[in-house]
């Protein structure tokens, strides 16, 4: 029954329509997710993650060696450059997907643009002057390409059926997180070539450029694979424009308007995770250089190893979130015999933690807080930090630059604690915040086209690292890493506040309201009777 401002309209299927009441109540229940295409999209999200993060550990040594005029402030702009491109292209790719319902062509176009940016990054070593500006432009171009993540996210949200959505989005997030975490490991591997490397014809191959040329090749290969093997199937949305038997069923279904406030909170949660991931990995090389006196090649190698270990933890956590059916199993058991077993009560409580995305997010935020607490320069840690010997640079030995006056009053985080927090706290917190937030965001939007809104979601994940990288590198250069920790922690506590205030509204969209309740949709208001 639909009630409009000026008239009453009732839509009831006839006996001869071939449409059952069950199919109207659950119009998506007969469909199935096309997992072959879904796995390809998950693999493409992995490629996007690698393209974004591959230089996080090696960018600062490469930049400082290319152009002596580049300082930590400019490094912040270089880190932000990729996100500048992503901010623009996330929206464009999301709109492209929204208008055409195509994930294939936005993704292919994005990878080809990213390939150009990676080739530019590798060729910077041939530039004699103004190398820092060429690097800045190269990262912007790469960002314009990898904004195709918006189209891939939209596909994961709209091509999966409701029962598969958490799995599809968690696996997609696992692919992206795996790429983000695996990228620095590639840079670590190429440290074997050294800074001098060798010449391959006219192309210089060293520890900085080899990974760029490899990334360009991977982008082209990914575009070819998408073109040949990717076939789209949007099983998770209600599309009344379809020319099929499902068109009649869709005519009896109204998709209500979604609740904007919880959708924006999910975007904010993703912004926090993206900000912390970018700043921690981008700052890890200069930070460990001053904390543990690692020279450039050591910092890239050791941080790459830690990033790989954290990557393994993140991927296993993401797949665990997506694969787990503990909640469903124990809810069923609870219905049959909850009152007779204390053990069953315990398992039921555990099932709530596993299945409720809000609790998963809160747990992830708590682990993020623990990560920052461990890495705060407490007074009881050892001090002070060491300065570079006169006439030395970080290619030879690690330590603080002369301009880092804060080193004389800053304590050193114990190495074992730093490694443990980087691998486990960081590895666990990110999937427990990002995956449930992304899945919940899709469920809040409901079974509708999501290209534009997924573009906005990815935009939030790009604009925050863009702003944060500039602020955080400035703070690091002039005040040390203490205020970086304080700034990031404050954003986490804001998330706790928002979760507490709007907890009951952070729920999936209800297609069928309770009897007698009204729900708004784009043409007016409808009631369920």
């Amino acid at each position: 029954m639909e009630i409009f401002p000026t008239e009453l309209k009732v839509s009831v299927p006839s006996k001869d329509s071939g449409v059952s009441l069950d199919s109207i109540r659950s119009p998506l229940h007969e469909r199935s997710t096309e997992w072959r295409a879904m796995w390809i999209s998950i693999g493409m999200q992995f490629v996007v993650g690698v393209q974004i993060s591959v230089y996080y550990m090696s960018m600062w040594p490469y930049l400082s060696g290319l152009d002596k005029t580049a300082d930590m402030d400019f490094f912040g702009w270089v880190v932000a450059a990729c996100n500048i491109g992503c901010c623009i292209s996330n929206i464009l790719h999301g709109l492209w997907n929204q208008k055409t319902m195509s994930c294939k062509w936005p993704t292919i176009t994005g990878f080809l643009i990213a390939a150009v940016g990676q080739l530019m990054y590798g060729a910077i070593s041939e530039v004699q002057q103004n190398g820092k500006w060429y690097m800045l432009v190269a990262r912007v171009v790469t960002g314009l390409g990898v904004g195709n993540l918006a189209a891939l996210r939209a596909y994961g949200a709209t091509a999966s059926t409701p029962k598969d959505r958490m799995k599809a989005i968690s696996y997609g997030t696992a692919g992206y997180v795996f790429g983000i975490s695996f990228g620095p490991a590639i840079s670590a591997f190429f440290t074997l070539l050294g800074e001098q490397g060798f010449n391959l014809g006219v192309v210089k191959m060293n520890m900085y450029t080899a990974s760029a040329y490899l990334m360009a090749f991977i982008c082209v290969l990914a575009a070819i694979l998408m073109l040949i093997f990717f076939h789209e199937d949007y099983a998770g949305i209600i599309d009344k424009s379809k020319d099929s038997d499902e068109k009649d069923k869709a005519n009896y279904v109204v998709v209500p308007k979604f609740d904007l406030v919880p959708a924006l909170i999910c975007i904010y949660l993703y912004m926090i995770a993206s900000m912390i991931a970018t700043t921690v990995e981008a700052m890890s090389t200069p930070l460990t250089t001053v904390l543990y006196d690692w020279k450039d090649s050591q910092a890239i190698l050791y941080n790459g190893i830690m990033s790989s270990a954290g990557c393994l933890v993140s991927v296993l956590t993401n797949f665990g979130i997506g694969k787990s059916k503990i909640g469903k199993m124990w809810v069923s058991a609870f219905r049959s015999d909850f009152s007779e077993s204390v053990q069953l009560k315990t398992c039921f409580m555990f099932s709530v933690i596993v299945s409720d995305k809000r609790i998963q997010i809160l747990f992830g935020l708590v682990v993020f807080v623990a990560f920052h607490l461990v890495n705060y320069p407490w007074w009881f840690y050892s001090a002070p930090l060491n300065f570079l010997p006169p006439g030395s640079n970080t290619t030879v030995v690690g330590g603080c630059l002369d301009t880092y006056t804060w080193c004389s009053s800053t304590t050193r985080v114990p190495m074992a604690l730093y490694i443990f927090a980087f691998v486990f706290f960081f590895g666990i917190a990110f999937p427990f915040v990002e995956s449930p937030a992304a899945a919940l965001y899709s469920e809040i939007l409901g079974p509708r086209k999501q290209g534009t809104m997924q573009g906005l979601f990815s935009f939030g994940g790009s604009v925050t690292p863009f702003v944060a990288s500039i602020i955080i590198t400035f703070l690091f250069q002039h005040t040390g890493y203490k205020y970086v920790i304080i700034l990031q922690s404050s954003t986490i506590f804001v998330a706790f506040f928002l979760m507490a205030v709007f907890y009951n509204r952070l729920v999936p969209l209800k297609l069928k309201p309770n009897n007698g309740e009204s729900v708004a949709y784009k043409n007016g208001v409808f009631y369920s009777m």
Side-chain angles (χ1 to χ4, degrees):
M1 178 180 292
E2 303 172 342
I3 298 181
F4 294 83
T6 58
E7 61 178 332
L8 173 66
K9 292 187 177 180
V10 181
S11 296
V12 180
S14 67
K15 293 181 179 180
D16 300 327
S17 65
V19 181
S20 68
L21 289 173
D22 288 339
S23 67
I24 295 170
R25 296 189 186 103
S26 182
L28 305 176
H29 81 289
E30 294 179 352
R31 303 182 189 175
S32 59
T33 304
E34 176 52 61
W35 278 104
R36 176 183 173 181
M38 189 63 68
W39 280 113
I40 293 175
S41 73
I42 291 168
M44 294 303 109
Q45 290 182 63
F46 166 78
V47 174
V48 170
V50 171
Q51 301 294 325
I52 292 173
S53 69
V54 65
Y55 311 123
Y56 278 165
M57 305 297 182
S58 61
M59 194 183 299
W60 169 242
Y62 189 27
L63 175 64
S64 59
L66 277 174
D67 196 327
K68 299 301 181 184
T69 65
D71 57 10
M72 188 60 65
D73 288 337
F74 191 86
F75 174 62
W77 282 98
V78 175
V79 174
C82 186
N83 293 300
I84 294 173
C86 285
C87 287
I88 299 170
S89 60
N90 276 324
I91 298 295
L92 295 178
H93 283 103
L95 287 171
W96 190 350
N97 174 266
Q98 180 82 11
K99 296 298 183 182
T100 65
M101 283 303 293
S102 171
C103 173
K104 174 184 285 190
W105 293 109
T107 303
I108 291 173
T109 303
F111 280 137
L112 294 178
I113 294 173
V116 174
Q118 301 292 25
L119 288 173
M120 292 172 61
Y121 188 92
I124 297 171
S125 59
E126 307 298 331
V127 176
Q128 300 300 319
Q129 294 180 335
N130 300 318
K132 64 181 184 181
W133 295 106
Y134 284 97
M135 182 179 288
L136 187 73
V137 173
R139 292 304 286 164
V140 170
V141 174
T142 301
L144 290 173
V146 294
N148 59 10
L149 178 65
L152 291 166
R153 284 188 179 279
Y155 184 77
T158 54
S160 56
T161 58
K163 66 182 179 65
D164 291 332
R165 186 155 300 145
M166 185 60 184
K167 182 190 296 185
I169 292 178
S170 294
Y171 287 1
T173 302
Y176 178 66
V177 171
F178 190 19
I180 287 286
S181 304
F182 188 73
I186 296 176
S187 289
F189 173 79
F190 282 113
T191 56
L192 298 173
L193 296 179
E195 295 190 6
Q196 298 303 317
F198 62 94
N199 291 328
L200 188 63
V202 296
V203 179
K204 181 182 291 186
M205 303 290 286
N206 59 29
M207 60 186 287
Y208 303 124
T209 62
S211 55
Y213 296 127
L214 175 62
M215 291 301 102
F217 172 77
I218 289 175
C219 282
V220 174
L221 181 61
I224 294 172
L225 291 175
M226 284 290 293
L227 180 64
I228 297 174
F229 297 107
F230 186 73
H231 302 288
E232 301 173 81
D233 178 25
Y234 292 90
I237 63 173
I238 298 172
D239 187 359
K240 297 186 180 183
S241 65
K242 281 186 176 182
D243 247 346
S244 69
D245 293 337
E246 294 185 357
K247 181 177 179 179
D248 290 334
K249 298 178 184 179
N251 286 332
Y252 299 105
V253 178
V254 175
V255 181
K257 292 181 179 179
F258 62 87
D259 193 346
L260 181 60
V261 172
L264 293 177
I265 292 174
C266 289
I267 293 175
Y268 179 73
L269 291 167
Y270 180 59
M271 291 167 69
I272 291 175
S274 299
M275 175 191 69
I276 296 174
T278 300
T279 54
V280 167
E281 293 188 340
M283 293 300 301
S284 59
T285 295
L287 178 61
T288 52
T289 297
V290 302
L291 285 181
Y292 311 118
D293 300 336
W294 293 346
K295 62 181 181 179
D296 290 341
S297 59
Q298 289 176 320
I300 295 170
L301 177 61
Y302 299 155
N303 280 293
I305 294 172
M306 287 188 291
S307 182
S308 299
C311 153
L312 179 61
V313 174
S314 290
V315 171
L316 291 176
T317 303
N318 264 304
F319 274 91
I321 292 172
K323 191 69 175 176
S324 176
K325 297 182 180 178
I326 297 174
K328 295 179 181 178
M329 289 189 294
W330 283 109
V331 166
S332 176
F334 163 74
R335 289 172 179 169
S336 62
D337 195 19
F338 177 79
S339 61
E340 297 182 5
S341 173
V342 174
Q343 181 180 5
L344 189 54
K345 292 180 181 180
T346 303
C347 292
F348 178 74
M349 294 301 295
F350 179 69
S351 75
V352 173
I353 295 175
V354 172
S355 60
D356 193 326
K357 299 178 184 64
R358 297 169 298 181
I359 295 178
Q360 292 173 2
I361 292 169
L362 289 172
F363 173 75
L365 292 174
V366 169
V367 179
F368 267 139
V369 171
F371 173 85
H372 287 87
L373 285 175
V374 166
N375 286 285
Y376 187 82
W378 298 104
W379 71 92
F380 48 81
Y381 289 164
S382 62
L385 303 180
N386 301 321
F387 285 90
L388 287 171
S392 298
N393 57 54
T394 54
T395 61
V396 179
V397 64
C400 296
L401 300 176
D402 293 337
T403 55
Y404 295 172
T405 55
W406 47 268
C407 282
S408 58
S409 59
T410 301
T411 58
R412 179 181 289 104
V413 180
M415 186 184 298
L417 280 179
Y418 177 85
I419 294 173
F420 180 84
F422 193 102
V423 173
F424 291 99
F425 288 169
F426 189 54
I428 292 172
F430 189 84
F432 264 99
V433 173
E434 207 275 348
S435 290
L440 184 57
Y441 180 75
S442 173
E443 292 174 346
I444 289 170
L445 297 181
R448 52 165 50 88
K449 294 180 181 180
Q450 297 187 11
T452 301
M453 293 303 295
Q454 290 293 340
L456 183 62
F457 189 82
S458 297
F459 172 82
S462 299
V463 71
T464 309
F466 158 60
V467 175
S469 58
I470 296 171
I471 296 174
I472 286 172
T473 50
F474 175 85
L475 289 175
F476 180 83
Q477 174 156 318
H478 298 285
T479 65
Y481 64 96
K482 177 172 69 175
Y483 293 103
V484 173
I485 300 273
I486 293 173
L487 175 63
Q488 293 188 153
S489 298
S490 64
T491 63
I492 298 172
F493 286 114
V494 170
F496 276 119
F497 174 77
L498 293 174
M499 290 283 293
V501 173
F502 297 101
Y503 188 84
N504 291 330
R505 291 171 64 178
L506 287 161
V507 293
L509 179 71
K510 288 179 65 176
L511 284 179
K512 184 177 182 296
N514 296 330
N515 288 342
E517 290 185 357
S518 63
V519 175
Y521 76 117
K522 66 179 182 179
N523 292 325
V525 177
F526 74 90
Y527 284 83
S528 175
M529 303 300 289

